[in-house]
Amino acid sequence: MAIMFTDEDMVYLDKEQDTQLRSIRQAIDALKLKGDTAFCKKCGHMMLYFTVGNVKLLQCGFCGNRVAEMIQL
């Protein structure tokens, strides 16, 4: 399940936590708009990746799910 923050969630936080969560939400939204970031199908967290030759290897830092994708050259 993906991490989602609504404005209602922000009501119960102090100012410092509110600022941190808003900046995290903005950073995640910016990555989603770029379109080159992969998100885990199991838990919805961002996947870390590196390339080897023409293969892109992805691993979720949260649940450990691993995926390999071929890169079109």
Side-chain angles (χ1 to χ4, degrees):
M1 172 179 254
I3 297 174
M4 303 245 182
F5 299 111
T6 62
D7 291 331
E8 293 173 9
D9 295 331
M10 302 298 178
V11 172
Y12 303 106
L13 303 172
D14 65 2
K15 186 66 175 173
E16 183 180 331
Q17 287 177 325
D18 182 46
T19 305
Q20 289 174 344
L21 287 176
R22 285 189 191 277
S23 66
I24 290 169
R25 183 161 72 176
Q26 289 172 347
I28 290 172
D29 289 342
L31 288 172
K32 285 181 179 178
L33 285 176
K34 284 175 63 178
D36 63 346
T37 303
F39 292 88
C40 182
K41 303 274 191 252
K42 290 171 81 177
C43 65
H45 287 83
M46 285 189 304
M47 297 185 82
L48 306 169
Y49 73 91
F50 58 95
T51 56
V52 176
N54 62 346
V55 177
K56 184 180 194 181
L57 303 172
L58 300 122
Q59 180 173 357
C60 179
F62 185 75
C63 70
N65 187 26
R66 293 181 181 165
V67 178
E69 297 178 353
M70 295 294 290
I71 299 172
Q72 300 290 332
L73 296 178

